[in-house]
Amino acid sequence: MDITILGIESSCDDTSAAVLRDNRLLSNVIASQAVHVKYGGVIPELASRAHQQNIVPVVDTALREAGVAASEIDAIAFTRGPGLVGSLLVGVSFAKGLSIARNIPLVEVNHLQGHILSHFIDLPDQELPHPEFPFLCLLVSGGHTQIVRVDSPLEMRIIGTTIDDAAGEAFDKCAKVMGLPYPGGPVIDRLAKEGDPAAFRFARPRVEECDYSFSGLKTSFLYTLRDRVAEDPEFIERHKADLCASLQHTIVAILLDKLVRASKQTGIRDIAIAGGVSANSGLRDGIVAEGKKRGWRTFLPEFKFTTDNAAMIAMAGHYRYRHGDFSTLDIAPEARLEEL
């Protein structure tokens, strides 16, 4: 019997709704918020107000594009956390209201699990390659950098995490210092293609086991700019591409070094990446090259599934529905929901 899930995602600054039938995507609608660009980061109050404006038309569009009536939905999967409380509250409240109005079961989803399980989504006209359990997933975003051992859709364990900044945070903060627009990660990726990754050397952390640290790299980058700009005020402008290429090369090397360690320790050779930073071309090329060298099967998400989207929430909700994990109406959003 087919299972049709409506997914709702509102954890940060993208309002998204998707319809999934089993693991086949029928629609995935995303409304982004350009209002934050001029502030150089997401403003929580503005984000929650935009979600209120977007949630009804986004869900309506997702259902119409999927050709699915509300009466055909088996469950509503929604992001409970982690994320911005005000943003999460909009999605959770809408899901509850629709659940009451249509008598549809609710399924809460951990946003991070959604990113990981996005590897099991198939497109309407194409079956995508899926990793086999157990696999390792490098989850990299603006707020999280983790290596996760995935034993099943409902059994995940973090075996490495950042002890300070996340990789995406390092990208964005360094981009801001160089005067690049927000979000800085994609801009650095674009400029890095024009630069020399060996032009500058930045500090690399010495952290035990499979954990990460990016604060030292960020500080090294800032000190390099401070010293060079003091001697040459036009330094950043003239060396922007080389700075981006060297920064990206260093971050990717740090990420892959610990991923290789985790693979050796666990013996797992199915390796996936997920999260916003998984769209970075340097990381994607690096993990493919590392995989060829080490005999890994590597899995890169479709670009449309790297950013926050409801398709991944629906996919995670599908597995929880099959397991009978339903939510009650007294469920509340959680800003920090780290357990996988």
Side-chain angles (χ1 to χ4, degrees), residues 135-156:
F135 67 93
L136 295 180
C137 185
L138 174 62
L139 179 59
V140 272
S141 68
H144 299 86
T145 300
Q146 301 172 338
I147 300 175
V148 180
R149 175 178 174 138
V150 187
D151 291 308
S152 78
L154 301 177
E155 296 175 292
M156 305 182 189

Side-chain angles (χ1 to χ4, degrees), residues 196-268:
D196 178 7
F200 299 96
R201 292 179 61 87
F202 302 117
R204 297 192 184 186
R206 295 182 179 179
V207 183
E208 296 297 323
E209 295 301 324
C210 296
D211 287 337
Y212 289 105
S213 170
F214 291 97
S215 63
L217 165 63
K218 183 183 66 178
T219 302
S220 173
F221 185 84
L222 297 180
Y223 281 166
T224 296
L225 294 192
R226 184 196 64 179
D227 295 342
R228 299 296 183 93
V229 170
E231 301 171 358
D232 175 11
E234 301 297 321
F235 172 79
I236 293 177
E237 190 60 36
R238 290 192 296 106
H239 297 280
K240 193 172 290 183
D242 287 343
L243 286 166
C244 290
S246 298
L247 175 67
Q248 178 164 290
H249 176 77
T250 305
I251 291 178
V252 170
I254 293 169
L255 290 170
L256 292 180
D257 176 67
K258 292 306 180 78
L259 190 56
V260 169
R261 180 191 292 259
S263 177
K264 288 180 178 178
Q265 288 182 353
T266 61
I268 295 174

